[in-house]
Amino acid sequence: MLINVPETVVGDALRGIAAAHPELAVDVENRVVVRRDAPVAGKVGLVSGGGSGHEPLHAGFVGPGMLSAACPGEVFTSPVPDQMVRAAAAVDAGEGVLFVVKNYTGDVLNFDMAAELAEEEGIRVERVLVNDDVAVTDSLYTAGRRGTGATLFVEKIAGAAADEGAPLDRVTEVARRVNESSRSFGVALSPCSTPAKGSPTFELPPGQLELGIGIHGEPGRERRAMMTSREIADYTVDVILEDLRPTGPVLALVNGMGATPLLELYGFNAEVQRALSERGVAVARTLVGNYVTSLDMAGCSVTLCQVDEELLRWWDAPVQTAALRWGR
C-alpha cells in the first residue's frame, strides 16, 4: 500500500487534502474538514461523516452546494461525537445544522450523542438517516438497511436547498425525501484490504463475485460465478426496481468501489442505461465514477433516485467541492 504506517493513514490523507485544497479548513488533529468561508450567514449548515476508506465521501463533498463540514473517522470506524460537535459549532450561523448520517450502528449512536451535546451548546440540530441499500436488511454493521450511494444524492440536493436559504425544517424534509426516493445495490469483484490488516477482509475465490456487498466488505445476499457486465446490470436494475418502482424519471449513479477503472464503469453504465430503458424507466441525469468507495475493492454499485422538477433543479444547481463540481 502507498502509506507510511497504518496508524497515520487518515492524518496523512488529511494533510494531503489541506495541501491540495486551500478552500478547505482542515483540522488534522481533531479530524474535521470545514469549508473555509463557514459559517455562512443565513444558511443552514450540513455536516456528515463516517469511517475513512470511502473517499471521496465525505470530505470530498465539502464546499459550496454540498456539505459545510465533514468528520472522518479511522478506516471503517465511526467518527466520535466531539468531532461532530466541533464541526457543528464551526458551521452554525444561527440557522441550525443538519446531520446526514449513514445507517451504520456506530455512526447512528455517535451522531445522536453529538446532536444532544450540540443542542446543549445552543445549536439547533436535525438528523437524516440514509438507508438506501436494498441488498440486505441487517448486516455486521447495521440494524436495518445500510446507507450507501444515496448519501451523495442527499448531500448534493439538500446542500443546494440550504444554499438557496431554505430553513432547517425544509432542508431536513428535502433530505428525507431524497433518501426515501433512492435505492442502491452493490457488487464486489474482489475483496478490499484495510491498512491495519494488510490483507483481504474476506475471501472471494477467483472467478466469483458477491452480489449485494456492503461498503465495508459486509457479505451480500448471494455469491455466483463471474457474470458479464450485461448480466450484472440486469440483475442489479431488477433488484432496485422491485423495491423502488419509480413512476417518473430518475437520477442514476453508477459508482465504482475503488479499484474498477472508468473504462469498465462507463461500459457498465451503457448496460445500466439499456436495462432501465427496456424497463420503461427514464433517466434524467447520470453520474459515473468512484464516489462512495471501499478502499481497493473492485466492483460497482448502482443508485437510482426518483426526481421531480424541484429535486432535479437542486441536483443541477452549482456545486464546487474537491470531488464534485459544475455550474460555477
Side-chain angles (χ1 to χ4, degrees), residues 262-280:
L262 278 171
L263 178 70
E264 296 176 30
L265 289 178
Y266 277 115
F268 180 61
N269 178 55
E271 296 297 346
V272 170
Q273 301 288 329
R274 171 199 55 78
L276 290 168
S277 177
E278 289 176 355
R279 290 152 179 80

Side-chain angles (χ1 to χ4, degrees), residues 46 84 92 105 162 166 246 296:
L46 260 70
M84 302 158 189
D92 181 36
T105 301
D296 60 344

Side-chain angles (χ1 to χ4, degrees), residues 10 13 17 51-60 72-73 258 290-295:
V10 176
I17 290 172
S52 296
H54 307 305
E55 289 72 24
L57 191 79
H58 295 271
N290 290 286
Y291 293 102
V292 183
T293 63
S294 184
L295 293 170

Side-chain angles (χ1 to χ4, degrees), residues 49-55 57-58 71-79 102 107:
S52 296
H54 307 305
E55 289 72 24
L57 191 79
H58 295 271
C71 308
E74 291 295 331
V75 172
F76 291 176
T77 302
S78 172
K102 301 189 305 301
D107 289 2

Side-chain angles (χ1 to χ4, degrees), residues 180-183 240-246 250 304-306:
E180 291 165 2
S181 301
S182 301
R183 302 291 188 277
I240 292 174
L241 295 183
E242 284 173 9
D243 198 286
L244 183 60
R245 302 183 184 279
V250 299
L304 302 179
C305 174
Q306 180 172 314

Side-chain angles (χ1 to χ4, degrees), residues 12-87:
D12 291 345
L14 289 174
R15 290 191 296 107
I17 290 172
H21 298 284
E23 71 277 14
L24 300 176
V26 181
D27 184 338
V28 176
E29 181 180 355
N30 294 297
R31 306 266 171 107
V32 178
V33 179
V34 182
R35 46 184 288 185
R36 193 169 289 281
D37 60 351
V40 179
K43 179 186 175 304
V44 168
L46 260 70
V47 174
S48 192
S52 296
H54 307 305
E55 289 72 24
L57 191 79
H58 295 271
F61 299 142
V62 174
M66 286 192 80
L67 294 175
S68 306
C71 308
E74 291 295 331
V75 172
F76 291 176
T77 302
S78 172
V80 298
D82 283 352
Q83 290 173 259
M84 302 158 189
V85 174
R86 190 179 297 270

